[in-house]
Amino acid sequence: MRFRPVCSLAVLLLTGLAVPDGKYTSFVEKIGDRGLNQLGAYDLLRELTTKIGARLSGSPQAAKAVEWGEKTMKRLGFDNVHLVPCMVPHWVRGNVEKCAAQDSDGTIQLACCALGGSVGTSKDGVTAPVIEVQSVDEALKLGDQAKGKILFFNRPFDASLVNTFAQYGTAGDQRFVGPATAAKVGAVAALVRSLTGDPDNVPHTGVTENSPIPCAALSIVAANALSDALKVHPELTVNLKLSCETLPDVPSASVVGELTGMEKPNEVIVMGGHLDSWDKGQGAHDDGAGVTESLEALHLLKELGFRPKRTIRVVLFMNEENGGRGAEAYAAYAKTAKEKPIAAIESDSGGFAPRSFSCSLKDTRRLNKWLPYLSVFEADMITGGGGGGADVEPLQPLGAVLFGLEPESQRYFDYHHSDKDTLDKVNPRELELGSLSMATLAWLISEDGI
């Protein structure tokens, strides 16, 4: 078991962990005391998830979330609250999602959900024999064998990898490009094992790229059942019915608010998460957590009267899940503004207890002076050579150093993009520690530069 620092700066001092000059001791103590006693991030998350719920780009709920974000920033007293408009995709799931395997022993109902961007089927659905594959490369090698078939991508998470984001990274290509690959070799539909390690009967959605054929995710129970049935009855057929469709793009926006810097207002530190979510569950961990952590972080600074040297800005990005239009629009806005983005911090890995920050700098040794302060809230490492997240990535060419909050990872993909991503899966104290970590890092950058 790895030792975790006790959440008290006084204890850190007593145990001999050096705090440079004690310069930010008072800051850390004040925000920690206020944040952990009020748990404001969870109150905000409750508002977002229970009053609005899932917020897929282009939906009425996404529009309500933009209104909520703007009103919330104004209520919390942020400076310069405004919207950065963008056009976003409008894909709708529809109310028909059925998948059934038929063999000589009968019918097996398979829990499924359409992948984001999938085309729909006719009323009768698509019926065809199934070929199971373990990789995109294996699908490509099928050649003419795939014509008229349904390809079933069934590579599981690699359980030997400790970090579940690494597991997701090694399995994700079968959802991202598997269906489009299946279409290239003549398949009429694609099924994909859900990107989760949780062996339940809940399918997990997510975007797929440029697929002209219907495609759906199967729950782990369903994927295992189909794979087992194919071993006994390789001639079985599957019928897939989906009523999803893509409608014309609609206008939306990212939401911006800040605390203006007192000395260098044109040097900007961005904090944020993405306001949209998939249309399953309530979008609590993905990414209501990042949205509300960011809002709470800036609110604590405002509430306690801390005025930063440099501007600290919260951006609630729209359309991360299926397009990145909000990130592109904000980067275009930042490029033309008379300001310099010096750092960008994103939270898009769930509202679990913080562990570290990734950083786009290859050598982060000069940032080690900040670790004693961040360690108070259990984010006790800054790891170099990484990134910050999809929404802040476009700011790197403008000069921003990117940071990503990295919480404990083991439970995230149990809920990710599924009906299980709901408020009750978020621990209020863990969520607040994420806010406190982000507030501390943003404050340190605002005071010391980078």
Side-chain angles (χ1 to χ4, degrees):
M1 179 178 176
R2 182 184 178 197
F3 172 76
R4 304 301 308 178
V6 177
C7 186
S8 164
L9 191 56
V11 172
L12 290 172
L13 289 166
L14 288 171
T15 56
L17 183 58
V19 179
D21 304 325
K23 187 177 179 182
Y24 301 115
T25 300
S26 177
F27 170 83
V28 171
E29 288 179 335
K30 286 180 179 178
I31 67 162
D33 180 69
R34 183 65 61 90
L36 290 172
N37 277 288
Q38 291 186 167
L39 301 178
Y42 195 78
D43 289 338
L44 291 167
L45 185 61
R46 183 186 294 111
E47 287 182 22
L48 179 61
T49 56
T50 62
K51 293 183 179 180
I52 299 175
R55 309 167 296 280
L56 184 60
S57 292
S59 69
Q61 291 77 19
K64 289 179 181 178
V66 172
E67 294 176 3
W68 174 87
E70 184 178 21
K71 289 178 180 177
T72 299
M73 287 189 181
K74 290 179 177 178
R75 173 169 57 85
L76 297 178
F78 296 173
D79 303 331
N80 303 324
V81 176
H82 64 282
L83 304 181
V84 177
C86 58
M87 296 295 292
V88 298
H90 188 193
W91 177 83
V92 294
R93 180 172 302 281
N95 57 11
V96 177
E97 294 182 319
K98 294 182 179 180
C99 189
Q102 183 73 45
D103 60 34
S104 58
D105 291 335
T107 300
I108 306 170
Q109 299 297 329
L110 303 171
C112 74
C113 67
L115 293 179
S118 175
V119 298
T121 67
S122 67
K123 183 178 180 181
D124 295 331
V126 174
T127 302
V130 178
I131 299 177
E132 179 179 343
V133 294
Q134 296 295 308
S135 70
V136 172
D137 286 343
E138 185 179 350
L140 283 171
K141 291 176 183 177
L142 288 173
D144 289 344
Q145 296 178 63
K147 287 184 177 179
K149 306 295 197 304
I150 294 174
L151 291 199
F152 168 37
F153 295 86
N154 194 36
R155 185 168 77 258
F157 270 15
D158 183 349
S160 66
L161 298 174
V162 173
N163 189 289
T164 61
F165 285 87
Q167 296 179 7
Y168 182 74
T170 59
D173 64 332
Q174 59 190 342
R175 191 195 79 203
F176 303 141
V177 300
T181 302
K184 287 181 182 178
V185 292
V188 293
L191 301 173
V192 180
R193 183 186 185 93
S194 284
L195 296 181
T196 179
D198 194 12
D200 65 11
N201 204 30
V202 179
H204 295 237
T205 191
V207 73
T208 193
E209 298 178 357
N210 303 317
S211 175
I213 58 175
C215 47
L218 297 181
S219 72
I220 301 305
V221 167
N224 290 343
L226 179 57
S227 182
D228 290 345
L230 283 167
K231 291 179 177 65
V232 179
H233 301 285
E235 75 288 351
L236 70 73
T237 61
V238 160
N239 174 258
L240 177 65
K241 296 177 182 178
L242 303 175
S243 59
C244 49
E245 61 179 326
T246 298
L247 303 175
D249 290 0
V250 299
S252 188
S254 298
V255 189
V256 178
E258 65 194 29
L259 290 186
T260 306
M262 300 297 288
E263 296 181 14
K264 298 181 178 181
N266 292 334
E267 293 188 9
V268 178
I269 300 124
V270 168
M271 288 191 296
H274 62 86
L275 194 53
D276 63 307
S277 75
W278 281 106
D279 55 337
K280 310 288 278 180
Q282 295 175 321
H285 278 294
D286 188 18
D287 187 29
V291 163
T292 56
E293 283 172 336
S294 303
L295 290 169
E296 167 72 350
L298 199 64
H299 178 232
L300 286 171
L301 301 182
K302 172 75 175 179
E303 187 178 40
L304 291 168
F306 289 110
R307 299 300 302 188
K309 289 182 181 179
R310 296 167 172 86
T311 295
I312 302 177
R313 177 179 296 162
V314 166
V315 183
L316 310 183
F317 295 93
M318 178 52 68
N319 187 227
E320 187 273 347
E321 292 292 5
N322 61 342
R325 307 275 184 85
E328 293 170 2
Y330 178 78
Y333 159 83
K335 188 174 183 179
T336 59
K338 295 180 180 179
E339 60 186 34
K340 178 182 179 182
I342 65 168
I345 309 164
E346 183 163 3
S347 172
D348 187 17
S349 299
F352 303 102
R355 290 293 178 258
S356 64
F357 284 96
S358 60
C359 180
S360 60
L361 295 175
K362 291 183 179 179
D363 186 349
T364 63
R365 284 175 293 181
R366 71 175 186 266
L367 308 183
N368 287 345
K369 61 184 178 180
W370 295 341
L371 291 179
Y373 303 108
L374 294 168
S375 295
V376 174
F377 306 120
E378 300 192 334
D380 59 359
M381 293 186 294
I382 299 175
T383 56
D391 289 308
V392 298
E393 186 177 339
L395 298 177
Q396 189 172 14
L398 304 183
V401 176
L402 308 184
F403 294 88
L405 178 63
E406 296 191 338
E408 185 279 323
S409 77
Q410 298 309 311
R411 292 163 286 166
Y412 182 67
F413 291 100
D414 292 354
Y415 312 133
H416 180 252
H417 294 181
S418 80
D419 286 332
K420 296 193 294 181
D421 187 8
T422 50
L423 178 66
D424 60 300
K425 308 304 191 306
V426 180
N427 179 280
R429 284 182 61 85
E430 291 186 352
L431 185 70
E432 191 69 25
L433 287 171
S435 291
L436 294 168
S437 300
M438 294 178 75
T440 300
L441 179 58
W443 181 258
L444 293 169
I445 297 171
S446 78
E447 299 307 287
D448 291 351
I450 195 166

